[in-house]
Amino acid sequence: MNTFRPALHFVAALALVAFCTSLTQAQALRTWVSGTGDDANPCSRTAPCKTFAGAVSKTAINGEIDALDPAGFGSVTLTKSMTIDGTGTFAGIAAAIGNGIVVVFTDPTNDPLKTVRLRGISINGTNTVGGAGTQSGLRGIYVSPTSLGQPKVIVQDCIVDGFTLDGILFNANGGDLVVTNTISRNNVGAGIKLDSAGGNLVHGTIENTKLIFNGDGLRIEDNVRAGVKDSVMSSNTGNGIAAINVSSSAVVQVMHSLISENRQNGLVAGGNITFSTIQIAESMIIHNNVGVAFSDANGKINSWGNNYLSINGTNGTFTTSTVPFN
């Protein structure tokens, strides 16, 4: 018996080491997906998974999922910091039902960065069954109001197309959205919408991005501070840029951008309280039904100079013109 007991301890120790080793292997810093992969695989370079969802559980916090080849990799929910990179391939998500990518952090204590990075992904919400060619997906990228902490989401070199709500909706209680070199188009709601779910500010940075053929191009609501540069908000059925708050102030600064061909307003500001504000400089506001408009007395649209407000059905008038830079 005395001889047998140490042997049991030795076996138990070996089992514990094997268990810990398997956990380590299951949480790789870099995993891979392929159109010919299998989610039963470990998601390694030589044995890739088939879907983004299959790779998430095998990727460590702040790790990276890379696409090996062109394919549709399915909708995914991200509950931890992670990069999904489809650069160099035709990496896509067909989200005919629900949302393409959902960000909802569940453990901010063990995930201090709270950052999701999305690169080189095409996200499509078009229906493929029944009413083929119609839109049926909800949102391309959705940052949930139930996300714990204040998430940071970076969207780079992506296309979001054909959703029944917004292309990109950031609705957490505070946090940051950075969108660069991206197209959000053909969405019934806004191409990009920012709206804090609580008392914390949502910060948005949008650069070199096209928001076209949506309801609104860019829409900001409560507790939002945003900056737009070198971007296009055009040919939307609603407004190019709408700053409409419900309970808290919303402010967006715009520079070097084109706001054109929007069927309602190029720029519109208003809301239930004061300081729903658009500040714009060195931009073109042309060929809209109305260039500058206010939904009520609580909106302000200030020109910081060198804007071209012309050739609209009605041009409208800035609240303040040529506000000097400080």
Side-chain angles (χ1 to χ4, degrees):
M1 234 6 225
N2 290 338
T3 304
F4 184 62
R5 185 170 297 162
L8 279 177
H9 291 166
F10 179 71
V11 171
L14 285 178
L16 180 61
V17 169
F19 176 72
C20 292
T21 300
S22 67
L23 284 179
T24 301
Q25 290 173 343
Q27 294 281 304
L29 279 175
R30 185 183 297 271
T31 56
W32 304 83
V33 292
S34 168
T36 59
D38 190 323
D39 284 346
N41 289 339
C43 302
S44 64
R45 175 67 177 78
T46 55
C49 286
K50 189 174 183 63
T51 67
F52 290 140
V56 165
S57 63
K58 299 171 186 178
T59 307
I61 292 176
N62 211 35
E64 181 167 331
I65 302 171
D66 292 329
L68 280 170
D69 49 39
F73 297 109
S75 298
V76 62
T77 296
L78 303 177
T79 61
K80 56 190 175 184
S81 291
M82 187 172 297
T83 296
I84 298 182
D85 197 335
T87 304
T89 70
F90 293 101
I93 293 174
I97 299 174
N99 303 295
I101 297 174
V102 176
V103 178
V104 52
F105 288 103
T106 58
D107 186 11
T109 301
N110 296 309
D111 187 2
L113 292 181
K114 296 183 289 297
T115 303
V116 163
R117 300 157 292 267
L118 306 170
R119 292 196 295 264
I121 307 168
S122 176
I123 310 170
N124 196 311
T126 300
N127 195 0
T128 57
V129 179
T134 62
Q135 297 160 309
S136 58
L138 297 180
R139 307 172 188 88
I141 300 169
Y142 178 39
V143 186
S144 170
T146 62
S147 189
L148 301 180
Q150 298 187 38
K152 301 175 182 65
V153 178
I154 302 165
V155 182
Q156 179 181 355
D157 300 319
C158 291
I159 295 176
V160 181
D161 185 290
F163 287 88
T164 59
L165 299 176
D166 305 304
I168 300 172
L169 172 58
F170 193 108
N171 193 208
N173 183 6
D176 294 81
L177 174 69
V178 177
V179 181
T180 61
N181 304 319
T182 289
I183 299 174
S184 185
R185 65 193 181 204
N186 296 321
N187 303 293
V188 177
I192 297 175
K193 180 178 175 180
L194 300 165
D195 182 17
S196 179
N200 294 313
L201 286 176
V202 165
H203 301 273
T205 301
I206 299 164
E207 183 179 13
N208 195 28
T209 289
K210 294 179 175 63
L211 307 176
I212 55 176
F213 304 126
N214 303 291
D216 290 336
L218 171 65
R219 186 176 183 90
I220 67 167
E221 296 189 0
D222 295 322
N223 269 337
V224 173
R225 302 292 182 269
V228 180
K229 184 173 180 289
D230 297 325
S231 294
V232 175
M233 283 67 61
S234 293
S235 299
N236 299 289
T237 59
N239 309 290
I241 299 176
I244 310 290
N245 67 63
V246 176
S247 60
S248 304
S249 64
V251 181
V252 57
Q253 284 85 22
V254 184
M255 192 168 187
H256 294 158
S257 293
L258 173 65
I259 301 99
S260 69
E261 316 300 336
N262 297 290
R263 303 307 189 258
Q264 293 184 19
N265 308 295
L267 307 175
V268 61
N272 291 336
I273 67 167
T274 55
F275 307 121
S276 181
T277 305
I278 300 172
Q279 298 164 327
I280 186 165
E282 300 181 13
S283 296
M284 295 182 69
I285 309 161
I286 58 172
H287 294 298
N288 305 284
N289 183 45
V290 178
V292 173
F294 304 90
S295 64
D296 52 48
N298 292 326
K300 295 182 180 180
I301 302 177
N302 299 329
S303 171
W304 280 350
N306 297 326
N307 291 300
Y308 188 75
L309 174 62
S310 185
I311 326 175
N312 299 284
T314 301
N315 286 327
T317 304
F318 292 113
T319 307
T320 305
S321 295
T322 319
V323 176
F325 292 100
N326 294 320

